[in-house]
Amino acid sequence: MNNKYIIWCDDSRKIIGKLQLFHSHLVETMNVSQSEILFVTLYESFSRYLVNKFNIQSISIESIQSTFFDNHSPFYSFDLASFDNSIQQSIILSFLSVNSYKKPPFFGQLKSCNTDDPVYGLSIYLSLWNQLINTNPTAHYFVLNGMSYPSFALSFLLALKKMQHTFWENGLLKSSLIFDDIGVNAYSSLQLYNSNGSIKAAKSVFNSLSHIIDSLMGSQHDIRSILVTYQYEYDTNIKCSSPFYNKNIFSRFLYNSLSSEHQSILCKRDHPKNKRSNRLITSLKSHLLKHKTIDSVINSSDLLITINSTTGLESILSNKPTILLGSSYYSVFLRVVYIAYQSFEIPVYVFNPNIDSERRLSILECLSSVSFVCDLKLGLSEVSNFSIQDFINKSTHNNFLNSFPMTPFVSPKILH
C-alpha cells in the first residue's frame, strides 16, 4: 500500500455527506490522488458502499479480520504484557474498566469463538491495527474519536509508535467536523490548558441544584419550563466525563437535588437511541417529551439542564440559560460552581446569557479554529476557511498518552 492519509470512520453512515466532502477536501488541498486516501470502516457493507457509490478507496475491519486469520489462529493476540510503562498500563486498565460491559465487534472465525473477554478483544484489535500500520508506516492517520475497541486500539498504537495522527469527530457546529491533537469533546487539548482564568476563582458551593438555578436565574425570575435532555445510556461522555454512571443515577440526582416546585416544571427529552425510559425518569414530577424536535423544545424552555450533551452547546448558542453536570469541549469556557452531594463536590458549569456573552463568543471562536464546515449554505462564514492542512502543520503533535495524567479517563462517580 502507498496511502498518504488513512481515515478510520467506523460505521459513520449518517454523516456520509460529510465524509464525501472530507475526502474531496483532502484531494483538492493536500495534493494527493484518490488512490492515496484510504477510509477504514467497521463493516464490509459500508466499505463497499463507499467504493461503489462514491469511488472512495476503502477497506473494512471485517475484511481485515478475515485476511488476518487466514495467516493466524483466532487465538493469536497482541501481548498486553509488553506495555510495562505505568502510564500505558493505567490507560489500558482504565479503558478495560470502562468497556467491560461492551462486547468487542468480532467477525468470521472470531465471532464464532463467542468471546466477551475485553482483554482479548483489545489485544486482537491492537494486532489488527498493527498489521495495517506496519504496511503504511508513513501515512497520516485520522482517528474517529471514541472509546470503542477499534478506536482506542488505533489511538494507543499510533501514540506509542509516535506516528502522525489527528482525531476527528462529527462536529459540534451543525454540518461540521471537528479536529484535535489528543481527542475531542472532554478529551480535547483544551482540557490541558486553563483557558478560563475565572474557573480558579473562589469556590462557590451550593446545597442543591435548585439553589444553583435560583442563583443563575434570579429568585424573582418567572421560570415556567426547565428542559432536561438525556444522553444515550452508553455514551462514553457520561461514563467517563461525568459523576454519573448512567441516566438512572442522573435521574436520582435530579429527584434528590431539585425542589418539588422545579420538578413540577421539568420537561424531559430522552435520547432517541434509548429503547425505553427507565422508571426514575418517568417517576420525576414532570412530563416526557417524545416527538418534538430539539430546536423547538429548547426554544420553548427557560433553562436547559444536561450532563454534557451537544444540546447544551445548542442551548448556549441559542442564548438560553444552561447548566452542565459533566465535562465537555465547551465546558472549559463556562463559569463553574459546585454542589455538595453525598461525599462529593460536583462541578456544575453554568451559562447566563445576560452576563456570559463573551464566553459564548469564545466558544464560537475556538470552534471556528478546529471545525471544517461541510455546508457553506448554512452561513457559518466564520468557520468556512478552515484548512485541514494548516491544522496539521500547526499541530503540537501531542498525544493522549502524554496528556493522560492531566486528563484521566474516568471521573469520580456517584454510587446511588
Side-chain angles (χ1 to χ4, degrees), residues 208-211 213-214 223-228 230 250-268 279-288 303 305 341:
S208 72
L209 191 55
S210 282
H211 289 153
I213 293 173
D214 290 339
I223 306 175
R224 294 163 297 176
S225 175
I226 299 175
L227 174 63
V228 176
Y230 286 82
F250 178 47
S251 294
R252 190 183 300 276
F253 166 80
L254 293 176
Y255 184 83
N256 291 334
S257 193
L258 286 174
S259 65
S260 57
E261 179 184 356
H262 283 151
Q263 286 191 40
S264 68
I265 56 173
L266 278 188
C267 298
K268 303 179 301 296
R279 179 177 55 81
L280 278 173
I281 291 182
T282 54
S283 66
L284 280 167
K285 300 174 183 176
S286 51
H287 60 280
L288 188 65
L303 167 70
I305 299 173
Y341 186 80

Side-chain angles (χ1 to χ4, degrees), residues 98-348:
V98 170
N99 287 274
S100 59
Y101 65 93
K102 292 183 180 178
K103 290 185 177 182
F106 285 152
F107 308 94
Q109 295 181 64
L110 272 176
K111 191 172 184 179
S112 64
C113 293
N114 196 30
T115 177
D116 298 336
D117 181 1
V119 175
Y120 182 66
L122 177 58
S123 63
I124 286 294
Y125 270 98
L126 287 168
S127 301
L128 294 173
W129 283 121
N130 195 50
Q131 176 179 271
L132 181 67
I133 289 171
N134 287 341
T135 56
N136 294 273
T138 61
H140 187 105
Y141 290 78
F142 290 95
V143 183
L144 179 62
N145 191 62
M147 289 287 277
S148 67
Y149 285 89
S151 294
F152 175 81
L154 177 58
S155 305
F156 190 86
L157 274 183
L158 291 172
L160 202 65
K161 293 173 178 284
K162 298 182 179 178
M163 297 182 66
Q164 293 186 19
H165 61 286
T166 302
F167 290 94
W168 73 277
E169 193 169 86
N170 195 22
L172 295 175
L173 295 173
K174 289 182 179 179
S175 295
S176 71
L177 300 174
I178 190 169
F179 295 84
D180 195 85
D181 285 347
I182 67 169
V184 294
N185 209 357
Y187 298 101
S188 72
S189 54
L190 279 179
Q191 305 300 322
L192 299 182
Y193 309 101
N194 181 20
S195 58
N196 186 341
S198 64
I199 283 182
K200 292 194 174 180
K203 181 186 288 188
S204 297
V205 181
F206 293 80
N207 293 324
S208 72
L209 191 55
S210 282
H211 289 153
I212 293 177
I213 293 173
D214 290 339
S215 174
L216 175 66
M217 304 291 290
S219 58
Q220 302 303 315
H221 193 281
D222 182 22
I223 306 175
R224 294 163 297 176
S225 175
I226 299 175
L227 174 63
V228 176
T229 56
Y230 286 82
Q231 290 158 251
Y232 180 45
E233 183 72 58
Y234 300 112
D235 188 342
T236 301
N237 293 316
I238 298 177
K239 299 290 185 185
C240 297
S241 304
S242 86
F244 311 104
Y245 274 115
N246 52 39
K247 64 179 184 179
N248 189 32
I249 294 176
F250 178 47
S251 294
R252 190 183 300 276
F253 166 80
L254 293 176
Y255 184 83
N256 291 334
S257 193
L258 286 174
S259 65
S260 57
E261 179 184 356
H262 283 151
Q263 286 191 40
S264 68
I265 56 173
L266 278 188
C267 298
K268 303 179 301 296
R269 189 175 192 275
D270 203 2
H271 193 281
K273 274 190 176 181
N274 291 328
K275 294 183 179 179
R276 59 189 178 88
S277 298
N278 63 34
R279 179 177 55 81
L280 278 173
I281 291 182
T282 54
S283 66
L284 280 167
K285 300 174 183 176
S286 51
H287 60 280
L288 188 65
L289 301 173
K290 293 184 178 180
H291 304 298
K292 292 185 177 180
T293 65
I294 188 60
D295 290 338
S296 67
V297 293
I298 288 176
N299 289 335
S300 62
S301 65
D302 296 310
L303 167 70
L304 181 137
I305 299 173
T306 191
I307 298 177
N308 47 18
S309 166
T310 53
T311 58
L313 177 64
E314 293 177 51
S315 176
I316 292 169
L317 297 183
S318 298
N319 274 310
K320 288 285 183 179
T322 305
I323 291 176
L324 303 180
L325 290 154
S327 300
S328 70
Y329 183 90
Y330 54 95
S331 64
V332 296
F333 295 98
L334 304 179
R335 288 181 294 121
V336 62
V337 296
Y338 295 83
I339 179 171
Y341 186 80
Q342 296 180 5
S343 59
F344 293 88
E345 286 186 351
I346 301 172
V348 180

Side-chain angles (χ1 to χ4, degrees), residues 2-8 22 26 30 32 36-38 136-143 154 158 163-168 179-181 388-389 391-395 397:
N2 188 27
N3 298 296
K4 290 187 177 180
Y5 297 100
I6 295 179
I7 298 101
W8 160 239
F22 185 7
L26 291 177
M30 306 292 237
V32 293
E36 294 175 300
I37 302 171
L38 177 67
N136 294 273
T138 61
H140 187 105
Y141 290 78
F142 290 95
V143 183
L154 177 58
L158 291 172
M163 297 182 66
Q164 293 186 19
H165 61 286
T166 302
F167 290 94
W168 73 277
F179 295 84
D180 195 85
D181 285 347
I388 296 174
Q389 180 69 71
F391 180 85
I392 291 174
N393 291 341
K394 295 175 184 176
S395 171
H397 300 297

